[in-house]
Amino acid sequence: MKRDSGYSTMAEQQKQAEKLWDALKVTACILGTGLLTFTALANTISWNVQNLWDALGHFWQTMWLKLYYLFEGKEWTIFFLGAALVPSLAFWCFNGILMVADVTGKPTFITRYRIQLGKNDPVDTKKLRQAIYTVLCNQFFISFPMLVLMFYVMKWWGNTFSKELPTFRWFLVELSIFTLIEEILFYYTHRLAHLPLLYKHIHKKHHEWTAPIGVVSIYAHPVEHILSNTLPVMTGPMIMGSHIVSIAAWFSLALITTSISHCGYHLPFLPSPEFHDFHHLKFNQCYGVLGVLDYLHGTDTVFRQTKAYERHRVLLSFTPLSESIPEAPKRAE
């Protein structure tokens, strides 16, 4: 009986080894086929993307040279257009649409996505006029003089007004660095502004809007506008010695992104504004832009326990997240 048991055990082990070997062969076959398919697709996609980039690069290079020669290479004019005029137009065009919705409640395609329900419905027009006045003052009397100083820094670098545009890949590298620098500088200057003394005399102005709207993204005390709004965005291009086209794209993107963060609407297919909207609601949470430093410093712990955190994602449908992920009903006292 013992001998039979030994043979039986050895036979079972042999069968298990054969099954294991068969499984390994099947796995290797599947992985090999998948790898070959992936490599073929990746090569095809990369080839097509490369061709698209080359074509777009040629188009933008041609357009840039036309613009450059139109202004006869006058660096200040080109810098003013790229660093001041284009971003300002992007800011006011985007916020103009939002302000129509804020004041009139139409179109409902926008207003149905309001985050803080019942707030700014409609917005106080007197308060809105005050905000617009402050924003314009910040742009003309703070941002513009700082851009004049930035112009001379960029001239010192020497390649800001080059006739040759940076490659799209290099622009993506720059964009990553700009974003990282902005996150660090904005987070720490913003937290500094929440110290009681600085908050009372400087940052409280921005927090007059507990339910923010897009235009108040740069509604701030002049000191805050310099330290938290302007320097974090300008520092990256100055360190990198970026081309004026990269600066124009980055400034426009930064202004539109911060407008989205403050707009009060969680619109489909746009970045989620829930993070910064929660900061305006609670004041002591969510200080950063990306949320990385908030996670590291634990300044988003309350936010992570809320429904707002569940809604903090890109909306990929047309159903408002306030409906699909509603706030929990308040308990009766």
Side-chain angles (χ1 to χ4, degrees), residues 229-246:
N229 292 343
T230 310
L231 279 178
V233 177
M234 289 173 54
T235 301
M238 288 194 290
I239 290 174
M240 300 295 292
S242 301
H243 196 280
I244 184 58
V245 171
S246 298

Side-chain angles (χ1 to χ4, degrees), residues 3-43:
R3 188 176 178 182
D4 291 342
S5 176
Y7 280 127
S8 176
T9 303
M10 289 179 63
E12 288 176 1
Q13 289 176 348
Q14 188 175 0
K15 285 182 180 180
Q16 288 176 355
E18 289 175 355
K19 287 181 180 179
L20 179 61
W21 177 244
D22 290 339
L24 287 173
K25 286 192 291 185
V26 171
T27 303
C29 182
I30 293 171
L31 289 177
T33 304
L35 183 61
L36 287 172
T37 305
F38 174 79
T39 303
L41 286 173
N43 287 335

Side-chain angles (χ1 to χ4, degrees), residues 85-141:
L85 187 60
V86 170
S88 294
L89 286 174
F91 176 83
W92 285 109
C93 288
F94 182 75
N95 281 291
I97 296 170
L98 292 176
M99 282 190 286
V100 169
D102 292 331
V103 173
T104 67
K106 297 177 181 178
T108 53
F109 174 77
I110 292 177
T111 55
R112 69 191 292 253
Y113 296 99
R114 184 174 278 112
I115 296 172
Q116 296 188 40
L117 301 176
K119 304 276 186 74
N120 294 326
D121 189 17
V123 71
D124 184 337
T125 53
K126 182 180 179 181
K127 193 177 177 183
L128 176 61
R129 284 195 298 270
Q130 180 190 1
I132 292 172
Y133 173 77
T134 301
V135 168
L136 288 171
C137 286
N138 281 339
Q139 287 184 315
F140 280 104
F141 301 116

Side-chain angles (χ1 to χ4, degrees), residues 63-80:
M63 295 299 293
W64 163 244
L65 287 176
K66 286 182 179 179
L67 183 69
Y68 185 88
Y69 290 122
L70 176 65
F71 293 103
E72 300 175 346
K74 294 177 181 177
E75 293 178 347
W76 166 248
T77 305
I78 294 171
F79 186 80
F80 173 77

Side-chain angles (χ1 to χ4, degrees), residues 186-199 227 287:
F186 180 77
Y187 178 85
Y188 290 111
T189 56
H190 190 190
R191 272 197 82 172
L192 187 67
H194 273 266
L195 293 175
L197 184 63
L198 295 178
Y199 181 84
L227 295 179
Y287 295 99

Side-chain angles (χ1 to χ4, degrees), residues 86-272:
V86 170
S88 294
L89 286 174
F91 176 83
W92 285 109
C93 288
F94 182 75
N95 281 291
I97 296 170
L98 292 176
M99 282 190 286
V100 169
D102 292 331
V103 173
T104 67
K106 297 177 181 178
T108 53
F109 174 77
I110 292 177
T111 55
R112 69 191 292 253
Y113 296 99
R114 184 174 278 112
I115 296 172
Q116 296 188 40
L117 301 176
K119 304 276 186 74
N120 294 326
D121 189 17
V123 71
D124 184 337
T125 53
K126 182 180 179 181
K127 193 177 177 183
L128 176 61
R129 284 195 298 270
Q130 180 190 1
I132 292 172
Y133 173 77
T134 301
V135 168
L136 288 171
C137 286
N138 281 339
Q139 287 184 315
F140 280 104
F141 301 116
I142 304 294
S143 297
F144 185 71
M146 291 183 72
L147 287 175
V148 174
L149 295 175
M150 183 182 180
F151 169 73
Y152 289 103
V153 173
M154 303 318 291
K155 270 181 67 72
W156 176 74
W157 272 101
N159 64 344
T160 298
F161 306 98
S162 170
K163 293 180 183 179
E164 184 178 351
L165 288 178
T167 64
F168 184 67
R169 290 186 185 88
W170 178 245
F171 173 67
L172 291 180
V173 171
E174 286 188 309
L175 195 62
S176 301
I177 295 171
F178 297 164
T179 303
L180 179 62
I181 291 172
E182 184 198 19
E183 173 72 8
I184 293 170
L185 293 180
F186 180 77
Y187 178 85
Y188 290 111
T189 56
H190 190 190
R191 272 197 82 172
L192 187 67
H194 273 266
L195 293 175
L197 184 63
L198 295 178
Y199 181 84
K200 179 181 179 181
H201 296 288
I202 295 175
H203 192 48
K204 187 176 180 180
K205 185 178 186 69
H206 184 67
H207 273 281
E208 290 171 4
W209 292 78
T210 54
I213 60 174
V215 75
V216 305
S217 54
I218 51 177
Y219 172 75
H221 187 282
V223 173
E224 179 183 354
H225 186 62
I226 293 171
L227 295 179
S228 290
N229 292 343
T230 310
L231 279 178
V233 177
M234 289 173 54
T235 301
M238 288 194 290
I239 290 174
M240 300 295 292
S242 301
H243 196 280
I244 184 58
V245 171
S246 298
I247 294 171
W250 164 240
F251 282 5
S252 301
L253 181 63
L255 282 169
I256 290 175
T257 301
T258 190
S259 296
I260 292 172
S261 295
H262 287 84
C263 73
Y265 303 107
H266 195 145
L267 298 168
F269 313 113
L270 291 181
S272 167

Side-chain angles (χ1 to χ4, degrees), residues 25 44 59 131 172 208 250 255 278 287 289 292 320 322 331:
K25 286 192 291 185
T44 303
F59 171 76
L172 291 180
E208 290 171 4
W250 164 240
L255 282 169
F278 190 80
Y287 295 99
V289 179
V292 177
S322 59
R331 295 179 181 178

